[in-house]
């Protein structure tokens, strides 16, 4: 018999599974759909009553260009928007800042002020769509700009539905778009929890992300362990700020990857729900069932896409999307087949959405809840991953907390080691990547990528100069002074921040002021 294949999390995958491989007390481990421990999904009917929210991640160049793409996606049938911001916006810099040179509008849309946000959502009914914004360090700033635009259109905060990623801890681990040290960053997260509970009650205040860790090389077990450990840190920060667990936990959400290893991915999602439910109930005393539900968005694995034979990515994305659906995701973004080369073309983005629509409307996936329940292999894998995740979380908390482990470099080091092993396996041909290390072709077909207009930076700079000349400079200065006082004290900073943005302070000015008060974080810093 051949040697057992190893899962991405490291445990062996058996050639045959039987009832003997099922974990003990399976009925209590499973529960009913929509009931603790939520292994079978967070809602009783799941997709039998309505499918998951179909999102497409989009944003490039100017707000006007991105707005046109959003209208195209909505016309094609997408149910929610997912906004990509350019690197300067993610780092809290204006487009005319010297450090932003060469990056404006490249990996997402440039948003410098309320004027850009108005253009980004022009003609889109914000009370009818769900909007997800992939923004972290300045997440509260972009949320407030969104709320201000909604108010200009006669909508209250209670009419808005969406998510800001707002997950700063994973930035220190895997991505790097942090601004402030962890302590004030966590304060800003807690302030956002409190603000949204009162002002934007249906908004998901954080999307605690394992996706970026997976893209950096984390295994499925590492992805879940380090994400849930960060979730524990956010819960602790909110409790320390005086919030009750059932006041904010129902609005917590998560963001995971879906890989091509379908069985392990399904088991991963099931294990994550079980662990989070137990943590919230047993460790934090949550009473509201919604506090214990691990609701999550999934994106198919960008890191598994290849520039070689890019059309093969259509197949990969379909398998990955299937894994997310079988795993019980609440919303899904399917990557475009050309994303390993450049920003998606309109046709590629539409094909990615059509992939979800085929899964939802042409298959029988939505006819029954949790079709893998009781599967010998999936239940055994769920138990394996759960054990591995619990062990890794214990190792995180052996440092004291997730932040202490980040400071020690634990999560980053573990992910880097996994990424190195994975790369070695691909180089040695032990792990097959179709078109890359097996089944190659001699010549690639020509492909014309989407190109970003190189004049965007100059255009944005001109818009900023005009805004600063036309706005009431005194009103901006007074509003920023109020924000400074709040940041130096202990009041919620989102209220004066909103007034500064209403007065047309820029994203860079708001974040720059907070840099002055709170400082910036460098990996060598201690706090």
């Amino acid at each position: 018999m051949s040697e057992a294949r190893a899962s991405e999390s490291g445990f062996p995958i058996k050639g045959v599974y039987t009832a003997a491989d099922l974990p003990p007390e399976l009925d209590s481990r499973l529960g009913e759909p929509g009931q603790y421990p939520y292994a079978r999904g967070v809602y009783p009917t799941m997709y039998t009553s309505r499918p998951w929210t179909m999102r497409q991640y989009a944003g490039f160049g100017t707000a006007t260009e991105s707005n046109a793409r959003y209208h195209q996606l909505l016309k094609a049938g997408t149910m929610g928007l997912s906004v990509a911001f350019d690197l300067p916006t993610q780092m809290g810099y204006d487009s005319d800042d010297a450090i932003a040179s060469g990056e404006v509008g490249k990996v997402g849309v440039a948003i410098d002020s309320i004027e850009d946000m108005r253009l980004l959502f022009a003609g889109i009914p914000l009370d009818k769509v769900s909007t997800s914004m992939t923004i972290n360090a300045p997440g509260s700033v972009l949320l407030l700009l969104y709320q201000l635009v909604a108010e200009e259109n006669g909508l209250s905060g209670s009419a808005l539905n969406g998510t800001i990623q707002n997950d700063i801890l994973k930035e220190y681990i895997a991505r790097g778009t942090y601004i402030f040290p962890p302590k004030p960053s966590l304060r800003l997260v807690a302030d956002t929890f409190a603000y949204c509970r009162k002002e934007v009650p249906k908004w998901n205040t954080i999307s605690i992300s394992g996706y970026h860790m997976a893209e950096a090389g984390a295994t499925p077990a590492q992805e879940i362990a380090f994400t849930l450990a960060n979730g524990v840190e956010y819960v602790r920060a909110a409790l320390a700020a005086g919030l009750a667990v059932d006041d904010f936990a129902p609005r917590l959400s998560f963001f995971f990857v879906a890989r091509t290893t379908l069985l392990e991915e399904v088991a991963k999602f099931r294990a994550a729900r079980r662990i989070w439910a137990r943590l919230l109930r047993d460790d934090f005393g949550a009473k509201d069932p919604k506090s214990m539900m691990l609701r999550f968005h999934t994106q198919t694995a960008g890191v598994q896409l290849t520039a070689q034979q890019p059309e093969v990515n259509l197949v990969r994305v379909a398998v990955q999307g299937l894994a997310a659906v079988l795993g019980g995701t609440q919303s899904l973004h399917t990557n475009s087949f050309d994303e390993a080369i450049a920003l998606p073309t309109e046709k590629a983005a539409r094909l990615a959405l059509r992939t979800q629509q085929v899964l939802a409307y042409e298959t029988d996936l939505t006819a029954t809840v949790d079709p893998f329940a009781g599967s010998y292999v999936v239940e055994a894998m769920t138990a394996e991953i759960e054990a591995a995740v619990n062990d890794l979380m214990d190792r995180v908390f052996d440092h004291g907390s997730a932040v202490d482990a980040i400071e020690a470099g634990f999560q980053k080091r573990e992910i880097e080691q996994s990424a190195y092993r994975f790369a070695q396996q691909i180089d040695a041909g032990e792990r097959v990547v179709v078109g890359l290390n097996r089944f190659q072709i001699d010549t690639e077909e020509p492909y014309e990528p989407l190109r970003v207009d190189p004049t965007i930076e100059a255009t944005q700079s001109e818009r900023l100069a005009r805004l600063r000349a036309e706005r009431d400079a005194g009103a901006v200065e007074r509003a920023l002074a109020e924000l400074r006082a709040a940041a130096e004290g202990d009041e919620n900073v989102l209220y004066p921040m909103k007034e500064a943005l209403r007065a047309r302070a820029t994203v860079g000015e708001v974040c720059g002021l907070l840099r002055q008060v709170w400082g910036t974080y460098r990996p060598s810093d201690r706090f």
Side-chain angles (χ1 to χ4, degrees):
M1 181 176 287
S2 62
E3 185 179 344
R5 176 176 167 180
S7 72
E8 291 201 10
S9 295
F11 57 84
I13 301 176
K14 299 172 64 173
V16 176
Y17 285 82
T18 69
D21 296 298
L22 293 172
E25 300 178 346
L26 182 61
D27 288 346
S28 62
R29 284 180 58 86
L30 283 172
E32 295 296 324
Q35 294 181 23
Y36 184 92
Y38 304 103
R40 303 198 63 191
V42 293
Y43 302 123
T45 58
M46 290 301 289
Y47 312 135
T48 62
S49 55
R50 66 182 179 90
W52 58 94
T53 299
M54 300 179 196
R55 296 189 186 279
Q56 285 307 109
Y57 187 48
F60 61 94
T62 65
T64 299
E65 289 175 298
S66 292
N67 175 264
R69 173 62 64 84
Y70 295 157
H71 280 281
Q72 292 163 358
L73 288 169
L74 290 169
K75 185 177 180 181
T78 192
M79 298 150 62
L81 300 175
S82 188
V83 185
F85 297 95
D86 72 355
L87 195 56
T89 305
Q90 292 181 49
M91 297 295 292
Y93 291 108
D94 288 333
S95 296
D96 60 356
D97 194 300
I99 202 170
S101 180
E103 293 294 338
V104 177
K106 288 292 179 66
V107 299
V109 62
I111 299 294
D112 293 317
S113 73
I114 191 171
E115 295 188 354
D116 290 325
M117 193 63 94
R118 288 184 190 122
L119 292 173
L120 185 63
F121 290 103
I124 294 174
L126 299 186
D127 57 337
K128 301 293 194 300
V129 300
S130 170
T131 302
S132 174
M133 293 188 276
T134 303
I135 193 77
N136 293 283
S140 55
V141 182
L142 275 297
L143 169 61
L144 292 172
L145 288 173
Y146 186 86
Q147 185 189 9
L148 285 166
V149 169
E151 288 176 354
E152 291 176 349
N153 286 278
L155 301 174
S156 68
S158 61
L160 304 181
N161 193 335
T163 305
I164 47 171
Q165 192 162 101
N166 201 27
D167 175 12
I168 198 62
L169 292 181
K170 66 97 173 47
E171 298 295 326
Y172 303 113
I173 295 172
R175 194 159 174 269
T177 62
Y178 43 71
I179 300 175
F180 317 113
K183 187 174 181 180
S185 293
L186 286 172
R187 172 197 169 174
L188 192 53
V189 169
D191 280 359
T192 306
F193 289 175
Y195 177 86
C196 286
R197 179 172 180 265
K198 184 176 180 181
E199 308 295 343
V200 198
K202 291 190 290 187
W203 199 267
N204 296 314
T205 49
I206 193 168
S207 178
I208 307 165
S209 176
Y211 181 88
H212 302 92
M213 294 187 236
E215 294 285 283
T219 67
Q222 288 172 337
E223 175 195 357
I224 297 303
F226 299 154
T227 303
L228 297 191
N230 285 350
V232 168
E233 193 75 18
Y234 292 125
V235 172
R236 289 173 176 170
L239 294 174
L243 299 175
V245 65
D246 287 325
D247 286 343
F248 66 86
R251 301 316 306 173
L252 302 179
S253 64
F254 292 80
F255 175 23
F256 297 122
V257 77
R259 301 168 178 83
T260 52
T261 45
L262 184 148
L263 296 176
E264 186 175 4
E265 291 299 284
V266 172
K268 176 193 78 176
F269 295 131
R270 295 163 68 84
R273 281 194 293 268
R274 281 182 43 82
I275 296 168
W276 186 249
R278 175 182 54 78
L279 284 169
L280 268 290
R281 187 190 70 173
D282 297 348
D283 291 11
F284 293 107
K287 304 297 183 187
D288 186 343
K290 292 181 179 178
S291 297
M292 307 172 210
M293 293 179 183
L294 184 141
R295 296 170 302 111
F296 64 95
H297 170 69
T298 309
Q299 181 172 338
T300 55
V303 74
Q304 291 187 321
L305 303 184
T306 62
Q308 297 83 3
Q309 302 180 47
E311 292 84 356
V312 177
N313 293 328
L314 286 165
V315 181
R316 292 188 177 101
V317 168
V319 173
Q320 294 163 357
L322 181 60
V325 172
L326 289 170
T329 192
Q330 276 58 72
S331 67
L332 176 61
H333 164 81
T334 36
N335 288 328
S336 301
F337 75 88
D338 53 358
E339 287 187 41
I341 303 170
L343 290 169
T345 60
E346 180 183 347
K347 181 179 180 180
R350 186 171 60 248
L351 282 170
L353 176 60
R354 295 289 182 252
T355 301
Q356 294 200 52
Q357 292 166 335
V358 168
L359 291 176
Y361 301 114
E362 291 193 21
T363 75
D364 54 5
L365 288 173
T366 59
T368 188
V369 175
D370 190 26
F372 268 138
S375 159
Y376 295 157
V377 59
V378 168
E379 299 298 355
M381 282 188 169
T382 300
E384 291 268 18
I385 292 174
E386 186 174 354
V389 168
N390 286 331
D391 179 67
L392 273 169
M393 291 182 72
D394 286 344
R395 293 173 64 194
V396 169
F397 296 134
D398 283 345
H399 290 82
S401 69
V403 170
D404 294 326
I406 289 168
E407 184 182 33
F410 172 70
Q411 299 98 319
K412 189 172 187 293
R413 187 166 54 250
E414 291 289 307
I415 291 170
E416 287 171 349
Q417 290 172 356
S418 295
Y420 180 64
R421 286 194 300 271
F422 194 86
Q424 284 183 311
Q425 292 167 358
I426 292 174
D427 290 344
E430 298 169 5
R431 187 177 295 273
V432 175
V433 180
V434 173
L436 179 65
N437 64 2
R438 196 182 296 184
F439 312 114
Q440 301 97 326
I441 56 177
D442 293 333
T443 57
E444 296 285 344
E445 295 179 6
Y447 170 79
E448 184 59 36
L450 178 72
R451 302 197 183 278
V452 176
D453 185 349
T455 66
I456 286 172
E457 189 171 324
T459 301
Q460 284 296 109
S461 295
E462 290 169 5
R463 285 172 52 78
L464 280 164
R466 187 164 58 249
L467 176 144
R468 293 187 180 113
E470 294 174 351
R471 70 188 182 184
D472 184 338
V476 173
E477 289 178 9
R478 290 190 295 274
L480 289 174
E482 291 291 326
L483 175 59
R484 177 183 292 275
E488 290 174 342
D490 58 7
E491 67 177 278
N492 192 313
V493 298
L494 269 72
Y495 289 94
M497 186 187 294
K498 183 181 179 184
E499 295 311 308
L501 294 167
R502 191 197 306 275
R504 298 201 288 176
T506 68
V507 172
E509 288 166 344
V510 168
C511 292
L513 183 149
L514 295 178
R515 278 187 179 90
Q516 293 172 18
V517 177
W518 292 340
T520 56
Y521 176 75
R522 294 173 179 81
S524 59
D525 290 348
R526 292 293 179 263
F527 48 91

